[in-house]
Amino acid sequence: MLSSELREQFSRALQAAKALKIEIRERDLIVYSRGAEPPAFISYIASLHAGLEVTVASTAEASVHILPYSERPRALIFSTSQKDSRAVSAAITASLSGSQAILIAPPQPPLLEERLEVRGVERVKLPTAAPVMTSSLLALMSAPRLMGFRDNRVREEIAALESALEWSSKGLEGLRGGYDLIAYSPTTRAGAFYYRDATGKREPVPIEALPALRDGRALALYSSAEEGEYREIMTSPRRAEAEFLSINADPVMAALYSVLYAALLAGKVI
């Protein structure tokens, strides 16, 4: 399941992420375009576990329903597209609303980059190769500090990310594969959306929706901390075929591991 090519692609994404830097702060608005859900959800889960009050929203939600009516000190906009007018528009709207706007995205066409510069939008430029994995790793490495002993443990795992793909591949041993979608918990939303885009398969659903799923094969991913929330669904009759897999890790790390699981199942680093 773990090919040398996949390992090399992951290593390049990790090195690219290490060259970049973002910061998540109290009351930040975390915004995502379609395709950039993984880094946004990783940032969101990490912020919640650090005790920060942050909001996560799509570009449409941010531009139309949040920024015009709510003062936000900063807006971090994630995009993985090389031409994303919605993300650019959200960043400009944030700037015009008085927020510090940071667009985390690959290089945009010159005209769009010029508009961003004129409006004072800060740029964090992702590589054009594997922007989803790179930004997901960046989001994890930029996680706010946790309280107590958990922070030391998480930082140690972040420092050992070079071997994380190898570790993750062992966690998938025994699975049948060939899933139509990944069903997600709050922790594993990042991996579910990564799988959608890496495979071109169906939209992911929350694990709670599995009993209503009529057909297809699903892998339900959740962190060990969430296991108690889903016991009833695991044992109840379901219309669709589903396998359940717990990620035995701190929820902050499990969010990133869900992305690595999805990359391994898809056989692709995007």
Side-chain angles (χ1 to χ4, degrees):
M1 188 174 288
L2 179 54
S3 66
S4 58
E5 182 181 4
L6 205 65
R7 187 184 288 109
E8 184 178 341
Q9 290 172 349
F10 173 75
S11 182
R12 284 199 297 265
L14 179 58
Q15 295 310 310
K18 287 179 177 179
L20 303 173
K21 186 177 181 180
I22 58 173
E23 183 182 0
I24 310 294
R25 302 176 188 170
E26 181 76 9
R27 296 196 68 242
D28 275 353
L29 176 61
I30 302 169
V31 183
Y32 60 89
S33 282
R34 184 174 177 84
E37 294 95 341
F41 290 138
I42 290 172
S43 293
Y44 180 62
I45 283 292
S47 299
L48 293 183
H49 281 263
L52 300 183
E53 291 187 11
V54 298
T55 302
V56 64
S58 68
T59 52
E61 289 173 311
S63 296
V64 179
H65 302 291
I66 298 176
L67 289 167
Y69 308 107
S70 173
E71 291 185 6
R72 298 282 172 163
R74 300 196 319 158
L76 287 80
I77 301 97
F78 286 97
S79 171
T80 55
S81 171
Q82 296 179 47
K83 185 179 181 182
D84 192 338
S85 57
R86 284 198 179 100
V88 169
S89 177
I92 291 173
T93 299
S95 182
L96 291 174
S97 300
S99 301
Q100 179 187 359
I102 303 164
L103 177 62
I104 305 142
Q108 301 294 294
L111 185 59
L112 294 183
E113 290 287 0
E114 184 179 340
R115 289 179 60 197
L116 292 165
E117 184 177 359
V118 167
R119 296 300 180 184
V121 175
E122 184 179 333
R123 286 288 279 117
V124 175
K125 293 186 179 180
L126 299 172
T128 56
V132 184
M133 182 63 76
T134 302
S135 56
S136 297
L137 291 164
L138 172 62
L140 176 69
M141 292 189 291
S142 304
R145 293 212 164 266
L146 307 175
M147 292 178 287
F149 69 93
R150 284 179 62 198
D151 189 72
N152 289 336
R153 189 175 62 205
V154 166
R155 299 298 156 187
E156 288 175 1
E157 290 192 53
I158 291 175
L161 279 174
E162 193 68 55
S163 61
L165 199 64
E166 191 90 35
W167 179 89
S168 298
S169 68
K170 296 176 182 177
L172 296 177
E173 291 175 357
L175 292 182
R176 285 175 287 175
Y179 305 106
D180 297 301
L181 76 160
I182 289 181
Y184 60 84
S185 69
T187 296
T188 63
R189 278 186 295 182
F193 283 95
Y194 184 103
Y195 187 79
R196 176 200 68 189
D197 292 330
T199 62
K201 294 192 176 181
R202 289 157 61 172
E203 287 289 317
V205 299
I207 292 175
E208 293 88 340
L210 280 177
L213 203 62
R214 294 180 180 274
D215 55 22
R217 296 188 62 240
L219 174 65
L221 274 183
Y222 54 92
S223 71
S224 53
E226 298 164 321
E227 187 165 354
E229 298 294 319
Y230 301 115
R231 285 201 182 99
E232 184 179 350
I233 296 174
M234 292 180 202
T235 57
S236 67
R238 294 181 298 277
R239 294 180 180 177
E241 185 181 354
E243 290 182 71
F244 289 81
L245 181 62
S246 172
I247 303 177
N248 187 20
D250 187 281
V252 174
M253 293 303 304
L256 185 276
Y257 290 143
S258 75
V259 169
L260 302 189
Y261 278 20
L264 289 160
L265 289 167
K268 190 183 297 184
V269 171
I270 60 172

